[in-house]
Amino acid sequence: HTDGKDITYYNTKTTYSDMIRERILNPVEKAPGVYYECTYALLDLDGDGQEEMIVDEVEYRAVYTMAEGKAIPMYSGTTYNGATLNICRGNIIEITHSYSGDNKVYCYYRMSGTKGEMVEYLRYDAERNPKNPWFRSIDGSGQDISLEPITKAEFDRIQNTYAPLELDWKPVTEYPL
């Protein structure tokens, strides 16, 4: 996960087609002869005309963009035990993870080229304040010192501005190679 920092990327030497081909040729086996389904969705998240690829497989999701003809991983992570990666209204990437019981962090990023910039950070932290466990980072850093308590209504209002989108998931076998 990102620990409240902007998403940064590292270079790969592959294209979307290469990634899909790898997943088709090397599927993850969940039982002898039975494989997990890997799906993908394409969506222009930063309005530059280049579609980003979101890949979903076996409790794992990743977002890639293209730069200089190569796939750039923007974020990847698990999607179980309270962790999620969603694409939300306004082409915002929502990353959530749980920690220490029912506590949960909600990070919202806007893509800009090959960078993701945090636009909102929320935390539900009953250990920090059991009577009012809803917090918002006033500077978007997510650092404890930057957290201010907010009401549940405000917490819910902010979350609702980033409603997850239903993506057009397709099996990787349908990718035009």
Side-chain angles (χ1 to χ4, degrees), residues 82 94-108 120-137 142 144 147-156 158-159:
E94 174 191 56
I95 299 164
T96 66
H97 65 275
S98 297
Y99 66 96
S100 185
D102 293 333
N103 297 328
K104 198 164 189 175
V105 170
Y106 304 82
C107 301
Y108 299 92
E120 191 70 65
Y121 178 99
L122 300 173
R123 187 187 301 175
Y124 176 88
D125 193 334
E127 290 176 13
R128 186 177 179 105
N129 185 342
K131 292 182 181 179
N132 188 38
W134 302 279
F135 295 91
R136 179 182 193 193
S137 177
D144 284 354
L147 294 178
E148 68 176 13
I150 59 176
T151 65
K152 180 177 184 338
E154 180 69 2
F155 190 92
D156 292 344
I158 293 167
Q159 275 194 303

Side-chain angles (χ1 to χ4, degrees), residues 9-19 50-52 64-74 114:
Y9 72 89
Y10 52 94
N11 286 310
T12 64
K13 297 178 180 175
T14 188
T15 64
Y16 290 167
S17 293
D18 294 335
M19 289 175 15
Q50 168 65 54
E51 291 181 314
E52 279 65 46
Y64 298 87
T65 191
M66 293 292 286
E68 299 174 12
K70 303 297 178 203
I72 307 296
M74 296 298 297
T114 56

Side-chain angles (χ1 to χ4, degrees), residues 78-106:
T78 60
T79 55
Y80 66 93
N81 283 344
T84 63
L85 186 156
N86 293 308
I87 308 303
C88 299
R89 185 183 310 144
N91 293 336
I92 298 292
I93 299 171
E94 174 191 56
I95 299 164
T96 66
H97 65 275
S98 297
Y99 66 96
S100 185
D102 293 333
N103 297 328
K104 198 164 189 175
V105 170
Y106 304 82

Side-chain angles (χ1 to χ4, degrees), residues 23-38:
R23 280 169 170 81
I24 292 170
L25 294 174
N26 296 301
V28 177
E29 198 170 31
K30 64 181 175 180
V34 180
Y35 299 92
Y36 284 101
E37 181 179 14
C38 179

Side-chain angles (χ1 to χ4, degrees), residues 12 14-24 38-57 60-67 70-77 85-87 91 93 111 113-114 167-177:
T12 64
T14 188
T15 64
Y16 290 167
S17 293
D18 294 335
M19 289 175 15
I20 294 295
R21 198 172 283 112
E22 174 67 23
R23 280 169 170 81
I24 292 170
C38 179
T39 57
Y40 75 95
L42 297 171
L43 184 66
D44 184 358
L45 294 173
D46 59 3
D48 67 355
Q50 168 65 54
E51 291 181 314
E52 279 65 46
M53 178 178 280
I54 302 98
V55 177
D56 187 77
E57 64 182 330
Y60 168 84
R61 192 170 282 176
V63 177
Y64 298 87
T65 191
M66 293 292 286
K70 303 297 178 203
I72 307 296
M74 296 298 297
Y75 181 83
S76 62
L85 186 156
N86 293 308
I87 308 303
N91 293 336
I93 299 171
M111 282 193 55
T114 56
L167 298 180
D168 183 19
W169 294 106
K170 296 179 181 170
V172 292
T173 54
E174 292 183 14
Y175 189 81
L177 296 173

